[in-house]
């Protein structure tokens, strides 16, 4: 048994000497692995457009619209080809991207303001047609009173006393009063047609240091809010009760409030004086008790 073991030992040693590369060849054959498949290049995912609303694809690269609009300097302005969610997330968190979003929002807000201003300007011009007509009438009255040639023309066409008539201060004042009455009547009619109205007022003084109550009204016309000047009301009692009495008398005398029904009066706008907005005895509290 011992002899066979020794014989096998020396025979294996002899074989290893005769063929030293046999073991290395077997080891190398076991270590050789098939070549790995190359990873496919990453492409653009359409779902990113829904997740990142600022993103768009242009010439095979990803770009950021806010950054382009605000002229930022980053890869997403020229075009980024590193497709990946992490790339988009990193860009979204950068300071230049957030600054671009803020700048775009400011531009949108500014455009809305300018559009609203143009709309309000158009509405004002449309609503002021009748007012401009009244101003034209006033200018005509003054021109007829100041230009002798117009008076002469009136005499030639059959108005012998036109020069005396139009140059009298009383007649000019009367014409002004008639035009003023027509303007105020048109305002009162529009307020009466409105289902609700609000009052804006404040105290002031004239050149004689008399207390006046400046009154504006806000009402609805054709589904939109309108603001008109109503007038000045002289007040001698500047307490909340005195202002309330003066205001109520004014509204009832002008016909805005009829039969003491103040249910259409829905708002009061004024400054922060205690006599106006006091929580116990202010004007607002007293108007609610009417």
């Amino acid at each position: 048994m011992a002899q066979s073991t020794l014989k096998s030992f020396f025979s294996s040693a002899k074989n290893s000497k005769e063929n030293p590369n046999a073991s290395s060849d077997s080891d190398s054959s076991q270590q050789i692995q098939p070549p790995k498949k190359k990873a496919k290049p990453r492409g653009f995912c359409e779902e990113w457009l829904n997740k990142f609303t600022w993103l768009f694809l242009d010439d095979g690269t990803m770009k950021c619209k806010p950054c382009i609009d605000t002229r930022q300097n980053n890869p997403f302005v020229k075009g980024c080809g590193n497709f990946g969610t992490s790339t988009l997330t990193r860009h979204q968190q950068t300071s230049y991207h957030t600054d671009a979003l803020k700048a775009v929002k400011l531009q949108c807000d500014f455009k809305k303001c300018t559009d609203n201003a143009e709309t309000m300007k158009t509405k004002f011009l449309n609503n002021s047609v009748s007012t401009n007509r009244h101003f034209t009438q006033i200018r005509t009255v003054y021109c007829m009173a100041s230009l002798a040639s117009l008076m002469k023309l009136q005499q030639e066409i059959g108005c012998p006393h036109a020069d005396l008539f139009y140059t009298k201060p009383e007649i000019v004042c009367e014409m002004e009063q008639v035009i003023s009455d027509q303007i105020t009547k048109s305002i009162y009619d529009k307020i009466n047609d409105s289902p609700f109205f609000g009052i804006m007022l404040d105290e002031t003084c004239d050149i004689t240091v008399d207390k006046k109550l400046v009154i504006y009204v806000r009402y609805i016309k054709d589904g939109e809010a309108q603001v008109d000047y109503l007038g000045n009301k002289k007040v001698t009692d500047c307490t909340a009760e005195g202002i309330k009495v003066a205001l109520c008398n004014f509204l009832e005398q002008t016909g805005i409030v009829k039969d003491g029904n103040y249910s259409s009066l829905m708002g009061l706008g004024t400054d922060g004086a205690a006599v106006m907005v006091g929580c116990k005895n202010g004007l607002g509290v007293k108007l609610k008790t009417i």
Side-chain angles (χ1 to χ4, degrees):
M1 181 70 182
Q3 292 179 356
S4 60
T5 304
L6 291 174
K7 184 177 179 180
S8 61
F9 173 76
F10 285 110
S11 62
S12 62
K14 183 178 178 180
N15 294 331
S16 62
K17 289 180 180 180
E18 292 176 355
N19 191 8
N21 296 327
S23 61
S24 61
D25 291 342
S26 62
D27 294 341
S28 61
S29 62
Q30 294 177 358
Q31 294 177 358
I32 295 175
Q33 298 178 357
K36 295 182 179 180
K37 295 182 179 180
K38 293 184 179 179
K40 294 182 179 179
R42 291 180 293 181
F44 185 79
C45 183
E46 296 293 336
E47 296 178 356
W48 292 341
L49 296 175
N50 298 327
K51 185 177 180 181
F52 305 96
T53 56
W54 45 265
L55 177 67
F56 70 98
L57 189 67
D58 183 31
D59 293 334
T61 58
M62 300 184 296
K63 292 185 178 181
C64 176
K65 190 174 187 308
C67 292
I68 294 175
D69 293 340
T70 56
R71 300 181 181 180
Q72 299 290 331
N73 185 14
N74 59 68
F76 278 80
V77 174
K78 299 178 181 178
C80 178
N82 185 14
F83 299 104
T85 306
S86 59
T87 304
L88 297 172
T89 304
R90 285 195 301 270
H91 173 74
Q92 189 170 247
Q93 296 174 350
T94 56
S95 60
Y96 41 75
H97 179 74
T98 55
D99 292 342
L101 293 178
K102 293 178 182 178
V104 170
K105 185 178 182 302
L106 289 175
Q107 291 174 357
C108 294
D109 293 342
F110 180 77
K111 188 176 185 305
K112 289 180 181 178
C113 292
T114 54
D115 292 342
N116 291 336
E118 288 294 332
T119 304
M120 294 298 295
K121 177 182 176 181
T122 303
K123 291 180 180 178
F124 175 78
L125 292 176
N126 293 335
N127 294 332
S128 62
V129 172
S130 59
T131 305
N132 290 336
R133 184 171 63 252
H134 295 315
F135 289 155
T136 303
Q137 295 171 354
I138 294 175
R139 285 195 296 267
T140 303
V141 171
Y142 279 105
C143 288
M144 294 181 69
S146 58
L147 299 179
S149 57
L150 288 177
M151 300 299 100
K152 185 177 180 181
L153 176 63
Q154 291 290 327
Q155 292 177 352
E156 292 179 355
I157 62 177
C159 299
H161 302 291
D163 56 340
L164 299 176
F165 183 79
Y166 284 110
T167 54
K168 288 184 178 181
E170 297 84 358
I171 300 302
V172 174
C173 291
E174 183 179 349
M175 290 184 177
E176 292 178 347
Q177 186 62 45
V178 170
I179 295 173
S180 175
D181 292 342
Q182 292 299 316
I183 295 174
T184 54
K185 182 179 182 301
S186 65
I187 294 175
Y188 296 156
D189 291 342
K190 289 186 289 186
I191 297 172
N192 291 328
D193 292 337
S194 174
F196 309 104
F197 69 93
I199 295 296
M200 296 182 290
L201 47 85
D202 196 8
E203 294 182 26
T204 185
C205 297
D206 59 11
I207 59 175
T208 60
V209 201
D210 289 334
K211 290 287 186 179
K212 298 282 187 178
L213 195 63
V214 184
I215 305 173
Y216 283 80
V217 63
R218 186 177 178 90
Y219 58 94
I220 299 174
K221 179 176 174 57
D222 297 331
E224 296 186 1
Q226 302 286 336
V227 179
D228 279 318
Y229 168 77
L230 288 182
N232 285 337
K233 178 66 177 178
K234 185 176 180 180
V235 290
T236 56
D237 184 1
C238 296
T239 63
E241 183 64 28
I243 295 175
K244 173 201 152 187
V245 172
L247 177 62
C248 292
N249 290 339
F250 177 83
L251 295 177
E252 293 177 3
Q253 290 172 1
T254 55
I256 297 175
V257 173
K258 298 178 181 179
D259 300 329
N261 184 9
Y262 286 82
S263 59
S264 298
L265 178 58
M266 302 300 293
L268 173 66
T270 182
D271 58 10
V275 69
M276 295 291 187
V277 296
C279 60
K280 294 183 179 180
N281 295 316
L283 175 62
V285 175
K286 294 183 178 297
L287 288 177
K288 289 180 180 181
T289 61
I290 298 178

